[in-house]
Amino acid sequence: MLLQAEIVAAILGIIIAVIALAILASSIRVVPEFRRLVVFRLGRLVGIRGPGLVFLIPVIDQAYVVDLREQVIDVTKQTCITKDNAPVDIDLLIYLKVVDPEKVITQVQDFRQAAVGIATTTLRAVVGDIELDEVLAKREYINSVLRAKLDEVTARWGVKVTAVEIREIIPPSTVQSAMVKQIAAERERRAMITQADGEKQAAILKAEGQKQAAILQAEGERQAAILRAEGQAKALELVNEAASKLGHNALLLQYLEALKNIAASPSTKIVVPMELLSFLQAFLKEGEKR
């Protein structure tokens, strides 16, 4: 009996030691830099503990862990109705960070779920005031409105919304097919405009080339005419100079020699006008005076 009592006492001692060690271990916490402990003592908020080694009173203190790192929430696709009654599926990402651990624990039950709920309702309200074409074009505007609305609400929870990014906007299938046709038509229009511009530029260059060629040709003809006129003037100057050096008799002899050569042909008849005879008489008189 004594042996049995000793065994039972030893077992109880071991159990008590294990329980004591468990309680002691639970009262000692090592808090990393990116986390904080919100401690309640008998239900009342004591404060924030950490980082480092934190001691808690067993059974009396209760601690909640809060992560201070920036977190991302993936909001699944939400079907929203635009102002022109077109349904679109939108999914987005919410980036937020805890700035006040006390409020995160005391002011909201689950700030992540609450943020998702506000984001979805705000998204539907914003998209409901915009037409479909604007929804596809105003992604940044929707992001900024959602971030401002979320940050305004989550501020009282001790949470800061750093960014809201729409990841994908999916319009209805009929709208997608119409968009594809519109894009194809736009590309064809741009191709036609580019081809027309090319033909226009080619025509302009061709006309400019023809104009330049005509100008060069006219300039060449003008230069040739000037050179011919200068040559003829030079030739006349030389003839005049040579004639001034010859005497009247020599000129008369050359003239008569030319008439002789013309009259040598049997079929040639020379008609001498009276004015020419008077000119010869005056010419001979001038020669005699000299």
Side-chain angles (χ1 to χ4, degrees):
M1 295 293 293
L2 181 60
L3 181 60
Q4 292 179 352
E6 292 179 352
I7 294 173
V8 171
I11 293 173
L12 289 176
I14 293 173
I15 293 173
I16 292 173
V18 170
I19 293 173
L21 289 175
I23 294 174
L24 182 63
S26 64
S27 64
I28 300 175
R29 301 283 184 90
V30 177
V31 182
E33 185 68 31
F34 56 87
R35 288 178 181 171
R36 297 292 186 273
L37 291 181
V38 180
V39 180
F40 291 84
R41 184 168 295 164
L42 297 178
R44 296 181 64 86
L45 178 64
V46 177
I48 302 173
R49 300 290 185 267
L53 190 63
V54 178
F55 295 94
L56 302 174
I57 301 176
V59 180
I60 296 177
D61 289 346
Q62 186 178 6
Y64 294 90
V65 180
V66 178
D67 197 328
L68 301 182
R69 292 175 294 183
E70 187 171 5
Q71 304 177 39
V72 57
I73 302 175
D74 187 358
V75 181
T76 57
K77 291 181 180 179
Q78 303 293 320
T79 301
C80 305
I81 306 299
T82 62
K83 188 176 182 180
D84 49 353
N85 297 323
V88 291
D89 293 333
I90 302 176
D91 61 345
L92 51 89
L93 299 174
I94 304 173
Y95 296 86
L96 44 81
K97 185 177 182 180
V98 175
V99 294
D100 191 341
E102 288 186 3
K103 290 183 178 180
V104 167
I105 299 299
T106 59
Q107 300 297 325
V108 64
Q109 182 178 6
D110 185 351
F111 73 92
R112 293 174 62 91
Q113 183 178 358
V116 170
I118 294 176
T120 54
T121 55
T122 306
L123 176 64
R124 290 190 177 95
V126 173
V127 173
D129 292 334
I130 305 175
E131 294 184 355
L132 178 60
D133 292 339
E134 295 180 350
V135 171
L136 299 176
K138 292 185 176 181
R139 184 187 297 256
E140 292 299 327
Y141 167 75
I142 298 175
N143 289 339
S144 62
V145 172
L146 287 176
R147 189 191 64 78
K149 293 290 185 181
L150 282 172
D151 196 34
E152 181 181 352
V153 175
T154 58
R156 62 175 183 261
W157 304 337
V159 177
K160 173 68 176 177
V161 177
T162 57
V164 177
E165 295 293 336
I166 293 178
R167 185 165 56 185
E168 190 176 12
I169 300 176
I170 304 176
S173 57
T174 55
V175 176
Q176 292 183 26
S177 61
M179 291 172 61
V180 171
K181 293 179 180 178
Q182 183 179 3
I183 292 173
E186 180 65 19
R187 289 180 178 175
E188 184 177 357
R189 184 184 69 84
R190 291 180 181 178
M192 294 176 64
I193 291 174
T194 302
Q195 182 179 0
D197 287 339
E199 294 176 353
K200 177 182 177 182
Q201 292 295 330
I204 291 173
L205 292 176
K206 183 178 179 181
E208 288 290 338
Q210 293 176 351
K211 176 182 177 182
Q212 190 66 23
I215 291 173
L216 292 176
Q217 182 179 0
E219 182 66 21
E221 292 176 355
R222 187 179 70 85
Q223 293 292 337
I226 291 172
L227 292 176
R228 285 196 298 268
E230 290 178 353
Q232 292 175 359
K234 188 66 176 177
L236 290 175
E237 289 179 0
L238 293 175
V239 171
N240 189 23
E241 183 180 355
S244 63
K245 293 180 181 179
L246 296 175
H248 289 78
N249 294 328
L251 290 175
L252 180 58
L253 290 174
Q254 289 183 358
Y255 181 73
L256 294 175
E257 184 67 25
L259 290 176
K260 180 181 177 182
N261 292 331
I262 294 172
S265 176
S267 60
T268 301
K269 294 180 180 180
I270 298 175
V271 178
V272 180
M274 295 299 294
E275 291 81 359
L276 181 58
L277 294 177
S278 61
F279 172 74
L280 292 176
Q281 290 176 359
F283 190 78
L284 291 174
K285 289 179 181 180
E286 184 65 25
E288 291 176 356
K289 292 179 179 180
R290 295 185 179 181

